[in-house]
């Protein structure tokens, strides 16, 4: 097997028999034709077509160590600076195509799986089978170009139950039985983004759940196809609309978030990567440098998104004829500052990259965490800029159907800009509305706010990982000691 194209991606998604619920009804028929999913599915199909395009294939693939066939570069565990640069260039190509609006574009989950794979050897301390399972699954996903989602956040009720109820009664996701065929798992996860538009789901342990027993039944990591018996996916409301003029973003980029429920699901033994040992689960993330590898992909996406925001705000300023106003220049300069800052932090992570104890070349974590700590606040600030710069136009932008109707002459006369037609001006403000006032933009703000954890969590990670802290304290201590009379 090798990389897949868009047609193959759609066929694989449509072939599954997922127990998928939307708006109180089970989804039947082809998922790729359902209005809540087809826009995103065709957008991701375009991403897969890119890697099969002769213009990009050499930039987006490498040869499988097993078959020699081309496989996705986002699966590549970097061994040197060249590998890290190639990975970033590939990620940039996809990020620029979706302008950073797809948090779960395939390269993100490929990167997550790759990071876990690099630390597979530590699992041998717990059970050699788990290490072998993880390596085999990584190779399977790489060589078959599997589209993955993942789940690890449990509902509030599950978290409360884990703290208050006896182990056998808790509703937290856990192993309820071990059989000769595999582990029987029950429980639920929220925010399985793209749960319905991927082929398989990777389930990771929730670190906050602890039990007094030596073997923790909630400490489990596994991956399974989406259509196993006992699995149910429940969707949020869709923000997607078919009309690309009226809804230029949600019609293409609305990633459906799902809740996934496991009701006595049999997880085959060869798909289990961890069971019972919560400490080993924590080490898998830490020693696999998850934050560094995932952060490198995430910051690359942030850069593409910020470039899009900068272009939008520049266009809005020009359309509103306020480009030369000092306040506008100041706002645009802040976006430019953020963009340069993100680029600089990513560059710093690459410049200070080093080989980890497992032999893999890893970007520096602290610059990437700094970027991830800054971006959510800037994202909301930029959204506010869009709102303020658009003013009432953010609300009063007629649909494309009006511009094709008998009232079009009125709209063309009264809604035109200085240098733009009414249709061009309305199209710009429809785009601004989706980000500044529509549900798609609201979800984007909330999603970015908690993408790699809340601000307290990211701050704690940066604080704990930041290098040479004693040296900085000693600068002051030494200065004061040397300044004595």
């Amino acid at each position: 097997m090798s990389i897949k194209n868009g047609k193959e991606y759609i066929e694989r998604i449509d072939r599954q028999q997922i127990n998928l619920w939307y708006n109180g009804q089970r989804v039947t028929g082809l998922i790729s034709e359902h209005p809540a999913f087809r826009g995103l599915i065709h957008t991701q199909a375009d991403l897969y077509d890119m890697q099969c395009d002769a213009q990009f294939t050499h930039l987006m693939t490498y040869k499988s160590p097993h078959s020699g066939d081309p496989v996705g570069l986002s699966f590549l565990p970097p061994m040197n600076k060249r590998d890290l640069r190639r990975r970033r260039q590939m990620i940039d190509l996809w990020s620029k195509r979706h302008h950073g609006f797809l948090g779960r574009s395939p390269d993100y989950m490929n990167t997550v799986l790759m990071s876990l794979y690099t630390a597979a050897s530590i699992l041998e301390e717990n059970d050699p089978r788990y290490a072998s399972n993880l390596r085999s699954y990584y190779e399977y996903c790489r060589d078959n170009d599997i589209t993955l989602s993942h789940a690890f956040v449990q509902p509030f009720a599950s978290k409360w139950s884990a703290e208050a109820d006896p182990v056998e009664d808790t509703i937290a996701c856990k192993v309820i039985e071990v059989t000769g065929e595999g582990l029987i798992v029950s429980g639920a996860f929220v925010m399985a983004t793209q749960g319905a538009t991927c082929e398989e789901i990777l389930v990771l342990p929730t670190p906050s759940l602890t039990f007094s027993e030596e073997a923790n039944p909630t400490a489990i990591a596994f991956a399974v196809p989406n259509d196993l018996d006992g699995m149910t996916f429940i969707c949020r409301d869709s923000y997607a609309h078919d009309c690309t003029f009226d809804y230029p973003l949600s019609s293409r980029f609305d990633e459906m978030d799902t809740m996934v429920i496991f009701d006595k699901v049999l997880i085959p033994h060869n798909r289990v990567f961890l069971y019972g040992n919560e400490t080993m689960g924590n080490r898998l993330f830490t020693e696999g440098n998850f934050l560094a590898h995932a952060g490198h992909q995430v910051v690359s996406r942030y850069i593409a998104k910020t470039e899009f925001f900068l272009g939008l705000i520049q266009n809005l300023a020009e359309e509103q004829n306020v480009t030369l106003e000092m306040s506008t220049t100041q706002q645009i300069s802040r976006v430019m500052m953020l963009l340069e800052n993100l680029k600089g932090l990513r560059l710093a992570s690459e410049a200070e990259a080093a080989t980890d104890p497992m032999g893999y070349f890893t970007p520096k974590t602290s610059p990437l965490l700094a970027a991830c700590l800054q971006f959510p606040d800037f994202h909301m600030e930029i959204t506010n800029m869009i709102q303020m710069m658009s003013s009432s136009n953010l609300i009063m932008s007629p649909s494309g159907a009006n511009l094709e109707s008998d009232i079009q002459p009125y709209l063309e006369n009264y809604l035109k800009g200085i240098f733009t037609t009414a249709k061009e001006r309305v199209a710009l403000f429809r785009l601004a509305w989706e980000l500044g006032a529509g549900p798609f933009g609201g979800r984007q703000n909330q999603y970015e706010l908690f993408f790699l954890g809340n601000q307290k969590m990211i701050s704690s990670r940066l604080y704990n990982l930041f290098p040479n802290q004693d040296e900085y304290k000693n600068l002051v201590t030494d200065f004061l000691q040397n300044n004595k009379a």
Side-chain angles (χ1 to χ4, degrees), residues 463-482:
Y463 181 85
N464 291 325
L465 288 172
F466 201 81
N468 307 320
Q469 292 192 51
D470 287 340
E471 291 184 18
Y472 302 126
K473 290 189 294 184
N474 290 338
L475 286 175
V476 176
T477 303
D478 293 343
F479 173 80
L480 293 174
Q481 288 177 345
N482 294 330

PDB file of all heavy atoms in Angstrom, residues 463-482:
ATOM      1  N   TYR A 463       6.641  26.448  32.401  1.00  0.00           N
ATOM      2  CA  TYR A 463       7.399  26.734  33.628  1.00  0.00           C
ATOM      3  C   TYR A 463       8.278  25.550  34.016  1.00  0.00           C
ATOM      4  O   TYR A 463       9.446  25.706  34.380  1.00  0.00           O
ATOM      5  CB  TYR A 463       6.431  27.072  34.766  1.00  0.00           C
ATOM      6  CG  TYR A 463       7.102  27.401  36.079  1.00  0.00           C
ATOM      7  CD1 TYR A 463       7.556  28.693  36.352  1.00  0.00           C
ATOM      8  CD2 TYR A 463       7.298  26.410  37.048  1.00  0.00           C
ATOM      9  CE1 TYR A 463       8.183  28.986  37.550  1.00  0.00           C
ATOM     10  CE2 TYR A 463       7.933  26.698  38.243  1.00  0.00           C
ATOM     11  CZ  TYR A 463       8.362  27.987  38.496  1.00  0.00           C
ATOM     12  OH  TYR A 463       8.997  28.280  39.676  1.00  0.00           O
ATOM     13  N   ASN A 464       7.724  24.356  33.941  1.00  0.00           N
ATOM     14  CA  ASN A 464       8.462  23.161  34.365  1.00  0.00           C
ATOM     15  C   ASN A 464       9.542  22.740  33.375  1.00  0.00           C
ATOM     16  O   ASN A 464      10.527  22.102  33.752  1.00  0.00           O
ATOM     17  CB  ASN A 464       7.495  22.005  34.598  1.00  0.00           C
ATOM     18  CG  ASN A 464       6.602  22.222  35.806  1.00  0.00           C
ATOM     19  OD1 ASN A 464       7.024  22.797  36.798  1.00  0.00           O
ATOM     20  ND2 ASN A 464       5.356  21.782  35.716  1.00  0.00           N
ATOM     21  N   LEU A 465       9.341  23.084  32.094  1.00  0.00           N
ATOM     22  CA  LEU A 465      10.292  22.651  31.069  1.00  0.00           C
ATOM     23  C   LEU A 465      11.313  23.717  30.705  1.00  0.00           C
ATOM     24  O   LEU A 465      12.298  23.424  30.026  1.00  0.00           O
ATOM     25  CB  LEU A 465       9.528  22.243  29.796  1.00  0.00           C
ATOM     26  CG  LEU A 465       8.731  20.938  29.858  1.00  0.00           C
ATOM     27  CD1 LEU A 465       7.884  20.776  28.606  1.00  0.00           C
ATOM     28  CD2 LEU A 465       9.677  19.740  29.990  1.00  0.00           C
ATOM     29  N   PHE A 466      11.077  24.935  31.169  1.00  0.00           N
ATOM     30  CA  PHE A 466      11.939  26.028  30.737  1.00  0.00           C
ATOM     31  C   PHE A 466      13.370  25.803  31.232  1.00  0.00           C
ATOM     32  O   PHE A 466      13.601  25.554  32.424  1.00  0.00           O
ATOM     33  CB  PHE A 466      11.428  27.371  31.263  1.00  0.00           C
ATOM     34  CG  PHE A 466      11.937  28.550  30.486  1.00  0.00           C
ATOM     35  CD1 PHE A 466      11.341  28.914  29.286  1.00  0.00           C
ATOM     36  CD2 PHE A 466      13.017  29.284  30.938  1.00  0.00           C
ATOM     37  CE1 PHE A 466      11.805  29.989  28.559  1.00  0.00           C
ATOM     38  CE2 PHE A 466      13.494  30.367  30.218  1.00  0.00           C
ATOM     39  CZ  PHE A 466      12.885  30.722  29.022  1.00  0.00           C
ATOM     40  N   PRO A 467      14.353  25.897  30.336  1.00  0.00           N
ATOM     41  CA  PRO A 467      15.734  25.555  30.718  1.00  0.00           C
ATOM     42  C   PRO A 467      16.441  26.697  31.452  1.00  0.00           C
ATOM     43  O   PRO A 467      16.068  27.870  31.343  1.00  0.00           O
ATOM     44  CB  PRO A 467      16.395  25.302  29.360  1.00  0.00           C
ATOM     45  CG  PRO A 467      15.642  26.182  28.403  1.00  0.00           C
ATOM     46  CD  PRO A 467      14.215  26.191  28.903  1.00  0.00           C
ATOM     47  N   ASN A 468      17.444  26.322  32.206  1.00  0.00           N
ATOM     48  CA  ASN A 468      18.411  27.272  32.803  1.00  0.00           C
ATOM     49  C   ASN A 468      17.762  28.288  33.744  1.00  0.00           C
ATOM     50  O   ASN A 468      18.238  29.422  33.858  1.00  0.00           O
ATOM     51  CB  ASN A 468      19.179  28.016  31.710  1.00  0.00           C
ATOM     52  CG  ASN A 468      19.828  27.087  30.704  1.00  0.00           C
ATOM     53  OD1 ASN A 468      20.354  26.039  31.077  1.00  0.00           O
ATOM     54  ND2 ASN A 468      19.779  27.456  29.439  1.00  0.00           N
ATOM     55  N   GLN A 469      16.712  27.907  34.444  1.00  0.00           N
ATOM     56  CA  GLN A 469      16.043  28.873  35.319  1.00  0.00           C
ATOM     57  C   GLN A 469      16.960  29.341  36.448  1.00  0.00           C
ATOM     58  O   GLN A 469      16.953  30.525  36.814  1.00  0.00           O
ATOM     59  CB  GLN A 469      14.765  28.264  35.892  1.00  0.00           C
ATOM     60  CG  GLN A 469      13.688  28.028  34.842  1.00  0.00           C
ATOM     61  CD  GLN A 469      12.343  27.703  35.460  1.00  0.00           C
ATOM     62  OE1 GLN A 469      11.868  28.416  36.331  1.00  0.00           O
ATOM     63  NE2 GLN A 469      11.730  26.620  35.007  1.00  0.00           N
ATOM     64  N   ASP A 470      17.764  28.444  37.001  1.00  0.00           N
ATOM     65  CA  ASP A 470      18.664  28.834  38.083  1.00  0.00           C
ATOM     66  C   ASP A 470      19.701  29.850  37.610  1.00  0.00           C
ATOM     67  O   ASP A 470      20.110  30.747  38.372  1.00  0.00           O
ATOM     68  CB  ASP A 470      19.367  27.604  38.661  1.00  0.00           C
ATOM     69  CG  ASP A 470      18.430  26.739  39.493  1.00  0.00           C
ATOM     70  OD1 ASP A 470      17.384  27.271  39.933  1.00  0.00           O
ATOM     71  OD2 ASP A 470      18.732  25.551  39.690  1.00  0.00           O
ATOM     72  N   GLU A 471      20.118  29.728  36.381  1.00  0.00           N
ATOM     73  CA  GLU A 471      21.102  30.673  35.848  1.00  0.00           C
ATOM     74  C   GLU A 471      20.553  32.095  35.856  1.00  0.00           C
ATOM     75  O   GLU A 471      21.286  33.051  36.163  1.00  0.00           O
ATOM     76  CB  GLU A 471      21.507  30.273  34.433  1.00  0.00           C
ATOM     77  CG  GLU A 471      22.334  28.998  34.360  1.00  0.00           C
ATOM     78  CD  GLU A 471      22.801  28.701  32.944  1.00  0.00           C
ATOM     79  OE1 GLU A 471      22.787  29.639  32.102  1.00  0.00           O
ATOM     80  OE2 GLU A 471      23.162  27.541  32.676  1.00  0.00           O
ATOM     81  N   TYR A 472      19.267  32.239  35.503  1.00  0.00           N
ATOM     82  CA  TYR A 472      18.684  33.576  35.467  1.00  0.00           C
ATOM     83  C   TYR A 472      18.551  34.150  36.885  1.00  0.00           C
ATOM     84  O   TYR A 472      18.790  35.341  37.106  1.00  0.00           O
ATOM     85  CB  TYR A 472      17.325  33.544  34.767  1.00  0.00           C
ATOM     86  CG  TYR A 472      17.412  33.012  33.347  1.00  0.00           C
ATOM     87  CD1 TYR A 472      16.622  31.951  32.928  1.00  0.00           C
ATOM     88  CD2 TYR A 472      18.306  33.577  32.440  1.00  0.00           C
ATOM     89  CE1 TYR A 472      16.720  31.461  31.640  1.00  0.00           C
ATOM     90  CE2 TYR A 472      18.400  33.089  31.146  1.00  0.00           C
ATOM     91  CZ  TYR A 472      17.607  32.026  30.740  1.00  0.00           C
ATOM     92  OH  TYR A 472      17.715  31.549  29.471  1.00  0.00           O
ATOM     93  N   LYS A 473      18.203  33.284  37.832  1.00  0.00           N
ATOM     94  CA  LYS A 473      18.137  33.759  39.219  1.00  0.00           C
ATOM     95  C   LYS A 473      19.522  34.153  39.727  1.00  0.00           C
ATOM     96  O   LYS A 473      19.686  35.153  40.437  1.00  0.00           O
ATOM     97  CB  LYS A 473      17.523  32.675  40.114  1.00  0.00           C
ATOM     98  CG  LYS A 473      16.037  32.448  39.879  1.00  0.00           C
ATOM     99  CD  LYS A 473      15.433  31.542  40.933  1.00  0.00           C
ATOM    100  CE  LYS A 473      15.983  30.139  40.851  1.00  0.00           C
ATOM    101  NZ  LYS A 473      15.322  29.231  41.833  1.00  0.00           N
ATOM    102  N   ASN A 474      20.515  33.385  39.323  1.00  0.00           N
ATOM    103  CA  ASN A 474      21.875  33.666  39.768  1.00  0.00           C
ATOM    104  C   ASN A 474      22.423  34.958  39.181  1.00  0.00           C
ATOM    105  O   ASN A 474      23.315  35.585  39.773  1.00  0.00           O
ATOM    106  CB  ASN A 474      22.802  32.504  39.415  1.00  0.00           C
ATOM    107  CG  ASN A 474      22.513  31.260  40.250  1.00  0.00           C
ATOM    108  OD1 ASN A 474      21.931  31.362  41.334  1.00  0.00           O
ATOM    109  ND2 ASN A 474      22.894  30.102  39.735  1.00  0.00           N
ATOM    110  N   LEU A 475      21.895  35.353  38.020  1.00  0.00           N
ATOM    111  CA  LEU A 475      22.326  36.631  37.458  1.00  0.00           C
ATOM    112  C   LEU A 475      22.065  37.762  38.441  1.00  0.00           C
ATOM    113  O   LEU A 475      22.906  38.646  38.644  1.00  0.00           O
ATOM    114  CB  LEU A 475      21.571  36.902  36.141  1.00  0.00           C
ATOM    115  CG  LEU A 475      21.969  36.104  34.902  1.00  0.00           C
ATOM    116  CD1 LEU A 475      21.025  36.424  33.753  1.00  0.00           C
ATOM    117  CD2 LEU A 475      23.410  36.387  34.499  1.00  0.00           C
ATOM    118  N   VAL A 476      20.895  37.725  39.038  1.00  0.00           N
ATOM    119  CA  VAL A 476      20.520  38.773  39.983  1.00  0.00           C
ATOM    120  C   VAL A 476      21.294  38.611  41.295  1.00  0.00           C
ATOM    121  O   VAL A 476      21.804  39.584  41.858  1.00  0.00           O
ATOM    122  CB  VAL A 476      19.000  38.750  40.234  1.00  0.00           C
ATOM    123  CG1 VAL A 476      18.603  39.780  41.288  1.00  0.00           C
ATOM    124  CG2 VAL A 476      18.248  39.007  38.927  1.00  0.00           C
ATOM    125  N   THR A 477      21.376  37.359  41.773  1.00  0.00           N
ATOM    126  CA  THR A 477      22.106  37.108  43.027  1.00  0.00           C
ATOM    127  C   THR A 477      23.555  37.561  42.920  1.00  0.00           C
ATOM    128  O   THR A 477      24.087  38.246  43.803  1.00  0.00           O
ATOM    129  CB  THR A 477      22.039  35.618  43.376  1.00  0.00           C
ATOM    130  OG1 THR A 477      20.678  35.209  43.473  1.00  0.00           O
ATOM    131  CG2 THR A 477      22.729  35.341  44.700  1.00  0.00           C
ATOM    132  N   ASP A 478      24.197  37.184  41.825  1.00  0.00           N
ATOM    133  CA  ASP A 478      25.601  37.547  41.633  1.00  0.00           C
ATOM    134  C   ASP A 478      25.764  39.056  41.505  1.00  0.00           C
ATOM    135  O   ASP A 478      26.727  39.645  42.019  1.00  0.00           O
ATOM    136  CB  ASP A 478      26.166  36.860  40.390  1.00  0.00           C
ATOM    137  CG  ASP A 478      26.256  35.351  40.562  1.00  0.00           C
ATOM    138  OD1 ASP A 478      26.194  34.881  41.712  1.00  0.00           O
ATOM    139  OD2 ASP A 478      26.392  34.647  39.531  1.00  0.00           O
ATOM    140  N   PHE A 479      24.816  39.694  40.807  1.00  0.00           N
ATOM    141  CA  PHE A 479      24.889  41.135  40.631  1.00  0.00           C
ATOM    142  C   PHE A 479      24.823  41.842  41.989  1.00  0.00           C
ATOM    143  O   PHE A 479      25.593  42.753  42.261  1.00  0.00           O
ATOM    144  CB  PHE A 479      23.741  41.601  39.737  1.00  0.00           C
ATOM    145  CG  PHE A 479      23.630  43.092  39.620  1.00  0.00           C
ATOM    146  CD1 PHE A 479      24.466  43.804  38.754  1.00  0.00           C
ATOM    147  CD2 PHE A 479      22.703  43.792  40.366  1.00  0.00           C
ATOM    148  CE1 PHE A 479      24.366  45.184  38.664  1.00  0.00           C
ATOM    149  CE2 PHE A 479      22.597  45.177  40.287  1.00  0.00           C
ATOM    150  CZ  PHE A 479      23.434  45.870  39.412  1.00  0.00           C
ATOM    151  N   LEU A 480      23.897  41.381  42.825  1.00  0.00           N
ATOM    152  CA  LEU A 480      23.749  42.014  44.133  1.00  0.00           C
ATOM    153  C   LEU A 480      24.953  41.755  45.015  1.00  0.00           C
ATOM    154  O   LEU A 480      25.400  42.638  45.763  1.00  0.00           O
ATOM    155  CB  LEU A 480      22.467  41.515  44.821  1.00  0.00           C
ATOM    156  CG  LEU A 480      21.154  41.940  44.158  1.00  0.00           C
ATOM    157  CD1 LEU A 480      19.979  41.261  44.840  1.00  0.00           C
ATOM    158  CD2 LEU A 480      21.001  43.453  44.203  1.00  0.00           C
ATOM    159  N   GLN A 481      25.506  40.555  44.956  1.00  0.00           N
ATOM    160  CA  GLN A 481      26.679  40.232  45.773  1.00  0.00           C
ATOM    161  C   GLN A 481      27.903  41.053  45.347  1.00  0.00           C
ATOM    162  O   GLN A 481      28.688  41.504  46.187  1.00  0.00           O
ATOM    163  CB  GLN A 481      26.978  38.746  45.702  1.00  0.00           C
ATOM    164  CG  GLN A 481      25.976  37.890  46.445  1.00  0.00           C
ATOM    165  CD  GLN A 481      26.277  36.403  46.281  1.00  0.00           C
ATOM    166  OE1 GLN A 481      27.047  36.002  45.406  1.00  0.00           O
ATOM    167  NE2 GLN A 481      25.647  35.595  47.138  1.00  0.00           N
ATOM    168  N   ASN A 482      28.048  41.238  44.068  1.00  0.00           N
ATOM    169  CA  ASN A 482      29.191  41.987  43.550  1.00  0.00           C
ATOM    170  C   ASN A 482      29.008  43.509  43.700  1.00  0.00           C
ATOM    171  O   ASN A 482      29.942  44.275  43.448  1.00  0.00           O
ATOM    172  CB  ASN A 482      29.426  41.656  42.067  1.00  0.00           C
ATOM    173  CG  ASN A 482      29.856  40.225  41.885  1.00  0.00           C
ATOM    174  OD1 ASN A 482      30.499  39.653  42.772  1.00  0.00           O
ATOM    175  ND2 ASN A 482      29.511  39.637  40.748  1.00  0.00           N
TER     176      ASN A 482
END
